[in-house]
Amino acid sequence: MTTTQQAGKQDLSWLDDVTMTELERNPYPTYERLRREAPLAFVPVLGSYVASTAEICREVATSPDFEAVITPAGGRTFGHPAIIGVNGDIHADLRGMVEPQLQPAEVDSWVDDLVRPIARNYVEQFEDRGRAELVAEYCEPVSVRSLGDLLGLQSVSSDKLREWFHKLSVSFTNAGVDENGEFTNPDGFTPGDEARAEIQAVVDPLIDRWIEHPENTAISHWLHDGMPPGKTRDREYIYPTIYVYLLGAMQEPGHGMASTLVGLFSRPEQMEEVVDDPSLLPRAISEGMRWTSPIWSATARISTTPVTITGVDLPAGTPVILSYGSANHDTGKYDAPTAYDLHRPPLPHLAFGAGNHACAGIYYANQVMRIGLEELLEAIPNLERDTGEGVEFWGWGFRGPTSLHSTWEV
């Protein structure tokens, strides 16, 4: 199929020239054009159809004519059965495995005691210095340490947890394919393979212990909850979902915090409002998640029957990548979507997905971000971006600032 043929009247041959480097560096121009010219289109470098508007992303995510499928690079990274790419009884079991610890009432019972001491510890390490690189020194460490402790990985350093999620991200987003559907960079999966081997070397002994002596950790609960007495889930069955958590669930709150800070730095008067009234933080975070969605284009669906979406006929078995980060910049839904605006009307966004595969940890992630930013801005209310350093965002599947240099008067 050529892009001219698949578009019918619309010539989309320009999509043949789109590269993964271009999408990783800045996907917005490509997706702005897609939303305008072909909101559901086949993108050759991805080897898949791509949904780019809020309406189509939501329609595909919630349609009974589609079910979840993991992208080829995601499947190569996580293995089977990863919670984001399965359906039916397996999906129901995996959601039933992870969701009890993530219900709002349950999260409220422990999240403050978990996250606030971690956030305070990291703030104390630099608050008297007058400057910090907040992605590496605060946002990512608070995110990975909180989830690591929840999972039961207290023995793993925050630096190692960050290393794991960055390596898994490199592998998961190694999505480029040639005209035969073969990966153009097979070596791009090496970092993920290295991370998985290290993770298993650490987690296997813990699983051995938790099988015999259950503890109040998430992974221990995953082994035992809902199983007949004396039975546990096989480790091979839960490992793909552990990898999902060690990438997506570790990445999302950290990059959500960082993107929210960049947005607030772009509107100093709104930063001042949030510092003066921390009750505005949930709204600030929601806008940050819309403005730069941490999970930008990492989920997909596959048609289970021939279906027509926005005039495009899709045979059964056609994958569609859901670009939620593009949907959250849809000018048909949001005014001036490229701007961060705390006072934007509170419309729902798709940063956490939609349908029965929407993120299971929405409430938990929002609480981690809220507590993290509360502690940071309470300790350093005069926080400013270091204008001598630029802010570069990176990523197509997962997106966030690569660094955020900040200063303040001590």
Side-chain angles (χ1 to χ4, degrees):
M1 176 190 302
T2 69
T3 45
T4 302
Q5 291 171 332
Q6 63 108 1
K9 297 179 181 179
Q10 186 79 49
D11 180 5
L12 299 181
S13 57
W14 60 273
L15 285 171
D16 294 332
D17 299 324
V18 173
T19 66
M20 281 309 303
T21 300
E22 179 183 336
L23 294 178
E24 295 275 15
R25 181 178 292 117
N26 182 10
Y28 290 107
T30 297
Y31 278 85
E32 181 180 358
R33 191 170 177 183
L34 279 173
R35 291 194 303 270
R36 184 173 63 248
E37 297 182 12
L40 180 64
F42 186 84
V43 179
V45 72
L46 300 173
S48 176
Y49 279 85
V50 169
S52 57
T53 65
E55 180 181 1
I56 297 175
C57 282
R58 191 176 294 279
E59 179 179 355
V60 171
T62 59
S63 170
D65 296 327
F66 288 84
E67 62 182 16
V69 66
I70 198 164
T71 62
R76 172 65 176 78
T77 301
F78 292 151
H80 179 78
I83 191 170
I84 63 172
V86 292
N87 303 279
D89 291 343
I90 295 177
H91 180 245
D93 179 62
L94 291 173
R95 291 288 290 216
M97 178 183 85
V98 303
E99 284 185 339
Q101 301 95 43
L102 298 174
Q103 295 302 305
E106 176 67 17
V107 172
D108 283 342
S109 71
W110 48 256
V111 71
D112 203 83
D113 291 338
L114 171 69
V115 179
R116 204 169 293 280
I118 292 170
R120 286 175 179 167
N121 175 61
Y122 282 110
V123 169
E124 289 170 358
Q125 294 179 28
F126 57 71
E127 64 179 327
D128 294 331
R129 192 197 309 158
R131 63 177 53 249
E133 197 285 275
L134 291 176
V135 172
E137 294 188 73
Y138 188 73
C139 297
E140 287 186 356
V142 169
S143 181
V144 302
R145 184 73 275 149
S146 298
L147 183 64
D149 288 2
L150 180 64
L151 292 173
L153 304 180
Q154 288 87 345
S155 62
V156 183
S157 72
S158 298
D159 287 342
K160 178 57 70 174
L161 291 171
R162 290 180 62 230
E163 178 187 320
W164 284 349
F165 97 62
H166 281 290
K167 284 184 171 182
L168 290 169
S169 179
V170 168
S171 180
F172 188 97
T173 58
N174 183 39
V177 296
D178 61 21
E179 62 274 10
N180 298 315
E182 300 294 328
F183 292 115
T184 55
N185 180 26
D187 291 341
F189 295 108
T190 301
D193 293 342
E194 294 172 348
R196 286 203 317 275
E198 291 184 8
I199 291 164
Q200 289 191 23
V202 170
V203 176
D204 268 343
L206 295 173
I207 289 177
D208 291 339
R209 188 178 83 212
W210 291 329
I211 288 174
E212 299 298 327
H213 305 285
E215 296 180 13
N216 190 26
T217 70
I219 296 176
S220 180
H221 281 290
W222 296 355
L223 289 165
H224 292 276
D225 287 2
M227 297 299 289
K231 300 287 186 180
T232 60
R233 291 180 178 86
D234 291 339
R235 68 188 69 203
E236 291 79 12
Y237 178 76
I238 68 171
Y239 258 123
T241 296
I242 292 175
Y243 302 142
V244 170
Y245 267 59
L246 290 174
L247 172 52
M250 286 204 166
Q251 176 266 356
E252 192 167 36
H255 289 174
M257 278 192 282
S259 295
T260 298
L261 286 169
V262 176
L264 287 170
F265 284 145
S266 74
R267 306 291 295 269
E269 76 287 357
Q270 295 186 4
M271 170 67 92
E272 186 175 348
E273 287 181 65
V274 171
V275 170
D276 291 342
D277 182 4
S279 70
L280 292 172
L281 270 172
R283 187 165 181 172
I285 291 164
S286 180
E287 172 65 355
M289 296 291 284
R290 182 210 63 81
W291 183 59
T292 304
S293 303
I295 298 180
W296 207 93
S297 195
T299 60
R301 300 291 186 270
I302 190 167
S303 55
T304 57
T305 186
V307 63
T308 300
I309 301 289
T310 190
V312 178
D313 296 327
L314 302 177
T318 302
V320 177
I321 295 174
L322 304 178
S323 294
Y324 290 136
S326 172
N328 288 334
H329 275 221
D330 189 341
T331 54
K333 189 172 180 64
Y334 305 101
D335 292 332
T338 60
Y340 178 95
D341 186 1
L342 172 68
H343 299 300
R344 183 180 303 280
L347 296 172
H349 58 68
L350 287 168
F352 292 104
N356 65 352
H357 278 78
C359 176
I362 296 173
Y363 189 79
Y364 166 77
N366 278 317
Q367 299 315 301
V368 172
M369 292 186 282
R370 174 186 62 80
I371 295 168
L373 292 178
E374 279 178 357
E375 288 298 319
L376 179 65
L377 297 179
E378 180 179 355
I380 310 173
N382 55 342
L383 188 70
E384 297 178 351
R385 185 173 78 81
D386 183 352
T387 55
E389 301 279 355
V391 177
E392 180 186 22
F393 284 80
W394 184 263
W396 163 81
F398 302 93
R399 189 164 183 83
T402 58
S403 62
L404 180 54
H405 293 271
S406 302
T407 62
W408 58 93
E409 290 187 10
V410 177

